[in-house]
Amino acid sequence: MKKIQMVDLVGQYQEIKGQVNDSISEILDSAAFINGPHVHSFQKALEDYLGVKHVIPCANGTDALQIAMMGLGLEPGDEVITADFTFAATVEVIALLRLTPVLVDVSPDTFNIDPAAIEKAITPRTKAIVPVHLFGQCADMDAIMEIAEKHQLYVIEDNAQAIGANHLFKDGSRKKAGTIGHVGSTSFFPSKNLGCYGDGGAIFTNDDELAHTIRGIVNHGMYQRYHHDVVGVNSRLDSIQAAVLSAKLPKLDAYCDKRRQAARAYSRAFSDLDSVIVPVTVRDCSGICDTCDCHVFHQYTLRITNGKRDALATHLGEKGIPHGIYYPIPLHKQKAYVDERYDEADFPVTNQLVDEVISLPMHTELDDEQIDFITTTIINFLKD
Ligand SMILES: *Cc1c(COP(=O)(O)O)cnc(C)c1O
């Protein structure tokens, strides 16, 4: 059996090596390292793929979130509601801009921000909601867009983990994750579902004016050469990363399918275990329906409900099976973000999830033998 990796980028590279190496060497020959033709063509290709009017590439997913918030003109003291159970980047940029983060609890089935908790947290100072499409599927965007409309709030989608996912609305229509709110952001960090070979990110919007504002912000607030109208940042995707992403984008749907296949195999294997809750997709197909494209499984995350999560993690380590605990500490308990505004009673789900979750190896190169070894090891450990 091949050694099991949490993420196998080497195996994936072998399939696109010719194309990637050719375009990188062309970039080296032309020395168009920044804002070259590769960046522009990738931007257009991603706009087509997502069905969104504007993609603005930038340096990483954290910048993308920050720039989206700057573009919307959010000001110090404005409250921004986001999920307590996510990667810290989301709350970090809110705090950096001197906005007020308002962390709220998530839903136990999807791990995504709980619309009821959002409603409860709204005050006259609330300006925006940042749903994070955690582990590869959209938060409840029907409910979130409704709440936003009712209270006149911006919706900024942190789509770092769900690029390529479709959100199926209650009326049966579909939109790509990240293109539903006023603005969306993503990350092309190597281990993300669409990853480059360094850092990269992008911002998406259908709003022409916002897109114009953001294009200036990523470039030092310049709308005309050496005229700086607003305070901006320097945040760009380089040509080499764009070339890698151009080679991978046409394969993104196939990559998502491979992840779903692995997820289905995992979920089927675990279906008889009482102490395990497998990932649930929004539309009740439990992640195993063959036609669902709502979930792109950035992570395949189990809940271990018999208190043996840590023992299982140790056991997997001994068996050479990589795994991750995403995330071990709720954001409202992180030193940088503790605040007396928070009441423990408002976070029952996050507080429970941090003790139960474990993520299994998930990438495009997992084979049946590896999945069988992983599932058998877990079943044998948990059944006695
Ligand atoms: C990875 C990630 C980010 C940050 O992306 P970087 O490119 O690493 O800056 C932001 N939010 C979430 C949910 C992420 O998973």
Side-chain angles (χ1 to χ4, degrees):
M1 187 175 69
K2 268 193 309 180
K3 185 171 184 299
I4 301 173
Q5 312 278 350
M6 193 67 183
V7 176
D8 183 0
L9 296 173
V10 175
Q12 197 187 52
Y13 168 59
Q14 295 311 312
E15 277 187 30
I16 50 172
K17 188 170 184 169
Q19 191 188 344
V20 167
N21 289 12
D22 286 352
S23 18
I24 291 180
S25 105
E26 183 193 312
I27 292 166
L28 297 180
D29 286 333
S30 71
F33 299 117
I34 300 287
N35 283 335
H38 284 279
V39 178
H40 191 67
S41 63
F42 170 66
Q43 174 206 319
K44 291 283 169 214
L46 189 57
E47 285 167 356
D48 284 350
Y49 174 83
L50 292 172
V52 71
K53 266 174 103 174
H54 305 281
V55 165
I56 301 110
C58 67
N60 58 67
T62 309
D63 275 9
L65 272 169
Q66 177 180 331
I67 293 159
M69 289 175 202
M70 291 169 77
L72 290 171
L74 300 182
E75 288 180 356
D78 288 350
E79 292 179 5
V80 179
I81 299 174
T82 194
D84 189 38
F85 189 63
T86 174
F87 181 58
T90 326
V91 66
E92 181 176 70
V93 299
I94 298 172
L96 268 175
L97 293 173
R98 299 276 172 238
L99 313 174
T100 305
V102 177
L103 296 166
V104 303
D105 211 5
V106 297
S107 306
D109 48 355
T110 62
F111 310 113
N112 275 323
I113 193 164
D114 176 1
I118 295 176
E119 284 239 63
K120 206 178 144 200
I122 290 173
T123 76
R125 290 175 303 281
T126 308
K127 288 285 155 53
I129 307 168
V130 186
V132 182
H133 303 322
L134 204 70
F135 300 154
Q137 82 176 322
C138 279
D140 183 348
M141 293 306 286
D142 290 277
I144 291 168
M145 294 310 291
E146 217 169 278
I147 294 169
E149 204 165 309
K150 186 165 128 198
H151 297 274
Q152 299 284 297
L153 308 174
Y154 292 120
V155 174
I156 304 161
E157 298 174 73
D158 180 348
N159 193 34
Q161 300 191 2
I163 195 155
N166 276 293
H167 182 66
L168 177 60
F169 289 89
K170 283 192 194 116
D171 67 5
S173 64
R174 275 163 200 267
K175 275 190 192 168
K176 288 275 190 225
T179 69
I180 303 161
H182 298 89
V183 57
S185 65
T186 203
S187 163
F188 304 122
F189 184 76
S191 65
K192 302 284 157 116
N193 288 27
L194 180 62
C196 56
Y197 295 166
D199 273 311
I203 303 140
F204 322 132
T205 185
N206 284 308
D207 181 329
D208 297 337
E209 203 175 314
L210 180 59
H212 173 75
T213 305
I214 287 174
R215 285 202 187 92
I217 291 175
V218 298
N219 190 24
H220 302 290
M222 271 199 289
Y223 296 88
Q224 202 187 328
R225 213 163 173 69
Y226 300 120
H227 292 251
H228 303 273
D229 295 356
V230 295
V231 177
V233 294
N234 167 26
S235 189
R236 36 195 183 214
L237 182 73
D238 69 70
S239 303
I240 290 180
Q241 303 314 330
V244 171
L245 292 165
S246 291
K248 284 187 163 193
L249 181 59
K251 295 175 172 287
L252 179 58
D253 285 341
Y255 290 158
C256 294
D257 275 339
K258 285 218 172 149
R259 287 173 174 272
R260 276 192 289 267
Q261 272 168 32
R264 276 183 215 121
Y266 279 143
S267 289
R268 287 200 183 103
F270 298 134
S271 59
D272 291 336
L273 278 183
D274 292 338
S275 49
V276 164
I277 300 177
V278 300
V280 172
T281 63
V282 183
R283 294 296 168 221
D284 295 337
C285 64
S286 304
I288 56 169
C289 99
D290 287 328
T291 54
C292 174
D293 56 5
C294 294
H295 206 317
V296 294
F297 290 99
H298 175 60
Q299 298 294 346
Y300 180 90
T301 302
L302 296 174
R303 289 174 57 195
I304 308 298
T305 56
N306 62 356
K308 289 193 176 170
R309 192 272 313 269
D310 290 338
L312 173 64
T314 306
H315 183 69
L316 291 178
E318 285 161 8
K319 295 280 178 184
I321 299 175
H323 52 272
I325 309 291
Y326 310 119
Y327 297 91
I329 305 171
L331 288 179
H332 80 275
K333 290 188 184 171
Q334 295 283 1
K335 257 194 211 161
Y337 304 110
V338 287
D339 198 300
E340 56 196 21
R341 288 179 285 128
Y342 298 127
D343 178 350
E344 276 313 309
D346 287 332
F347 301 96
V349 179
T350 309
N351 284 340
Q352 185 176 350
L353 290 177
V354 294
D355 292 332
E356 292 184 349
V357 290
I358 186 163
S359 301
L360 302 186
M362 177 49 75
H363 53 79
T364 56
E365 314 302 311
L366 280 169
D367 63 34
D368 291 346
E369 191 187 9
Q370 293 175 317
I371 291 175
D372 191 52
F373 179 69
I374 295 165
T375 53
T376 309
T377 304
I378 292 174
I379 291 166
N380 286 340
F381 180 79
L382 288 177
K383 75 173 187 224
D384 39 63

